[in-house]
Amino acid sequence: DIVMTQGALPNPVPSGESASITCRSSKSLVYKDGKTYLNWFLQRPGQSPQLLTYWTSTRASGVSERFSGSGSGTYFTLKISRVRAEDAGVYYCQQVREYPRTFGAGTKLELK
Amino acid sequence: EVQLVESGGVLVQPGRSMKLSCAASGFTFSSFPMAWVRQAPTKGLEWVATISTSGGSTYYRDSVKGRFTISRDNAKSTLYLQMDSLRSEDTATYYCTTDGGAYWGQGTLVTVSS
């Protein structure tokens, strides 16, 4: 199984600052079609997860431009610019390159 | 508006069975591979199973293989999860989602306890 390892944030993050979350995979997430199958989700307290980005860097419909995904191969980053109160929650990376799908353990973002 | 509405979550004894349903609307259900993802209390997300658009292919995590069965009825736009031989470690909120994660239901709580 592909193991997904997420980094921590130096919480709390001051409102208006930027925050970056890292995610490493134990195997390359590049598929034979050339795409890199890495998703980022945000789960706000008491809510279902929300897709932020897919294929590493493509923002999902309706997602703010303040969220940007980057990376390649086995190392990925989600950057949140100008952090706001509504960005608080737990962020998960997920690989969908192969089965079983696997998630990172989650990274909590708390705001100051 | 896209909606995924799960139902069927209850308190059940270990070793018993139960079936979850997920009614979809607002999108072309038959065009999306569908999945179940669960979350144990205070824990992270865990993929459970995926089914292809036609239902002809299914995939499971090892811990539920042989006990859980994912299925779908495209005519009814409904996804199912039959769960047999339930264990305490299956206790979680179960989410219905498109396999790519674009759409999620609100989740239904399954508690396995004597």
Side-chain angles (χ1 to χ4, degrees):
Chain A
D1 298 1
I2 298 177
V3 177
M4 307 298 290
T5 304
Q6 292 185 227
L9 280 172
N11 285 316
V13 177
S15 182
E17 296 291 305
S18 294
S20 289
I21 303 170
T22 61
C23 173
R24 287 183 185 271
S25 58
S26 61
K27 176 180 175 180
S28 173
L29 301 186
V30 181
Y31 192 57
K32 54 188 176 184
D33 61 4
K35 292 188 174 118
T36 303
Y37 285 84
L38 187 280
N39 294 341
W40 283 101
F41 296 92
L42 163 60
Q43 187 175 31
R44 298 184 176 95
Q47 295 187 18
S48 302
Q50 173 196 1
L51 180 67
L52 297 175
T53 63
Y54 59 95
W55 295 340
T56 300
S57 59
T58 302
R59 268 186 298 275
S61 177
V63 173
S64 169
E65 291 182 352
R66 297 186 299 106
F67 293 92
S68 59
S70 62
S72 61
T74 62
Y75 187 79
F76 307 93
T77 303
L78 178 71
K79 182 178 178 181
I80 311 161
S81 302
R82 304 180 302 283
V83 167
R84 299 178 181 173
E86 63 260 33
D87 301 335
V90 180
Y91 290 79
Y92 295 93
C93 60
Q94 181 204 27
Q95 67 81 18
V96 288
R97 185 203 179 282
E98 64 183 45
Y99 295 100
R101 310 299 202 207
T102 46
F103 289 91
T107 300
K108 192 169 187 177
L109 171 62
E110 297 174 336
L111 269 77
K112 186 183 289 185
Chain B
E1 179 194 5
V2 170
Q3 281 201 308
L4 290 170
V5 180
E6 302 96 336
S7 59
V10 292
L11 170 63
V12 63
Q13 292 180 327
R16 303 297 291 266
S17 299
M18 67 183 305
K19 188 171 186 176
L20 304 181
S21 299
C22 171
S25 60
F27 67 105
T28 307
F29 178 77
S30 59
S31 296
F32 286 78
M34 296 296 296
W36 290 97
V37 171
R38 68 185 179 184
Q39 187 170 36
T42 73
K43 301 297 184 183
L45 301 172
E46 183 175 83
W47 172 82
V48 175
T50 291
I51 187 167
S52 63
T53 53
S54 66
S57 296
T58 56
Y59 309 87
Y60 299 92
R61 67 179 303 105
D62 283 349
S63 62
V64 308
K65 234 174 250 184
R67 299 190 299 122
F68 289 12
T69 303
I70 188 172
S71 61
R72 65 191 298 161
D73 184 335
N74 285 340
K76 294 182 178 179
S77 295
T78 302
L79 178 71
Y80 303 101
L81 186 67
Q82 174 68 41
M83 302 187 289
D84 299 324
S85 303
L86 281 160
R87 306 168 180 167
S88 58
E89 55 264 36
D90 296 319
T91 294
T93 294
Y94 284 72
Y95 293 100
C96 164
T97 174
T98 50
D99 187 51
Y103 308 136
W104 292 71
Q106 83 289 349
T108 188
L109 178 61
V110 172
T111 304
V112 184
S113 174
S114 53

